[in-house]
Amino acid sequence: MNKLCFMLLMCLIILGCKSSLRDKIETKIQEKCKGIETCKIDLKEVTDFKWDRMYFFKTGAEVNKVLGFHYPYPGNDVASRFVFVSGNVVTYHEDNFLALYAPTKEKIRFNFYNDLAPYYCFDAADAIFDVRKTIVNRVVYYELTPQKNRIQVP
């Protein structure tokens, strides 16, 4: 009985440790950009699922309208979100809540040129970002900026 409980507990711990896309991006940056202030990262190298377009929606954006098909996940007006699509199927999504109480958790920051655009879209071939490492109060942050000639905005 104890062995069964232990195995069940271990399964729950392993399943609960699923890393977010932001965690995967941070890990890839640390591997690829070790010891340098700036580098480039291709999101195709970070993701382990099929996709041909990536969207970054700001809080309150009309996801269904932009995608052109039904977004099967509940709406949320207090989070930005990543949505990866293959054809007309969502293959990955992730909500990103602003961590006001723990800003050190937000180590990956996206820097977009047009702050007024409600969303940004990248083809899989063009999801390449310039990365700049900054340190504030001994905490390392990575700012990801899409390459200028690759961004699509509405």
Side-chain angles (χ1 to χ4, degrees), residues 71-134:
Y71 180 68
Y73 304 98
N76 192 325
D77 289 338
V78 295
S80 60
R81 77 177 19 128
F82 290 111
V83 177
F84 289 81
V85 174
S86 180
N88 284 343
V89 176
V90 174
T91 56
Y92 181 86
H93 73 102
E94 181 176 306
D95 289 342
N96 297 289
F97 297 92
L98 182 61
L100 295 173
Y101 59 91
T104 57
K105 289 189 171 196
E106 296 294 325
K107 293 184 179 181
I108 302 295
R109 297 179 178 168
F110 285 88
N111 178 30
F112 295 111
Y113 302 108
N114 183 352
D115 282 342
L116 300 177
Y119 71 93
Y120 304 90
C121 177
F122 302 90
D123 291 330
D126 296 328
I128 301 170
F129 293 81
D130 294 320
V131 179
R132 185 173 58 94
K133 175 182 170 181
T134 58

Side-chain angles (χ1 to χ4, degrees), residues 33-46:
C33 310
K34 190 173 187 170
I36 55 178
E37 297 290 318
T38 61
C39 64
K40 291 186 187 342
I41 188 165
D42 186 337
L43 286 187
K44 287 185 300 189
E45 298 173 2
V46 178

Side-chain angles (χ1 to χ4, degrees), residues 1-151:
M1 181 69 172
N2 286 342
K3 194 173 191 175
L4 179 62
C5 289
F6 176 76
M7 293 299 287
L8 182 59
L9 178 63
M10 291 306 295
C11 287
L12 290 173
I13 290 171
I14 290 170
L15 290 174
C17 293
K18 179 183 171 190
S19 63
S20 70
L21 180 61
R22 284 181 179 266
D23 292 338
K24 290 177 183 179
I25 292 171
E26 182 178 355
T27 300
K28 188 64 167 183
I29 290 170
Q30 289 170 344
E31 292 170 3
K32 191 170 182 174
C33 310
K34 190 173 187 170
I36 55 178
E37 297 290 318
T38 61
C39 64
K40 291 186 187 342
I41 188 165
D42 186 337
L43 286 187
K44 287 185 300 189
E45 298 173 2
V46 178
T47 55
D48 58 358
F49 46 86
K50 185 178 176 185
W51 61 281
D52 51 32
R53 285 183 323 273
M54 177 198 104
Y55 294 88
F56 179 81
F57 291 97
K58 289 185 175 181
T59 302
E62 297 181 40
V63 177
N64 285 322
K65 185 177 179 181
V66 173
L67 293 178
F69 60 90
H70 176 67
Y71 180 68
Y73 304 98
N76 192 325
D77 289 338
V78 295
S80 60
R81 77 177 19 128
F82 290 111
V83 177
F84 289 81
V85 174
S86 180
N88 284 343
V89 176
V90 174
T91 56
Y92 181 86
H93 73 102
E94 181 176 306
D95 289 342
N96 297 289
F97 297 92
L98 182 61
L100 295 173
Y101 59 91
T104 57
K105 289 189 171 196
E106 296 294 325
K107 293 184 179 181
I108 302 295
R109 297 179 178 168
F110 285 88
N111 178 30
F112 295 111
Y113 302 108
N114 183 352
D115 282 342
L116 300 177
Y119 71 93
Y120 304 90
C121 177
F122 302 90
D123 291 330
D126 296 328
I128 301 170
F129 293 81
D130 294 320
V131 179
R132 185 173 58 94
K133 175 182 170 181
T134 58
I135 301 173
V136 178
N137 296 328
R138 292 181 279 174
V139 177
V140 176
Y141 296 93
Y142 301 103
E143 183 177 83
L144 280 69
T145 304
Q147 293 184 342
K148 286 185 180 182
N149 62 338
R150 298 180 186 270
I151 192 168

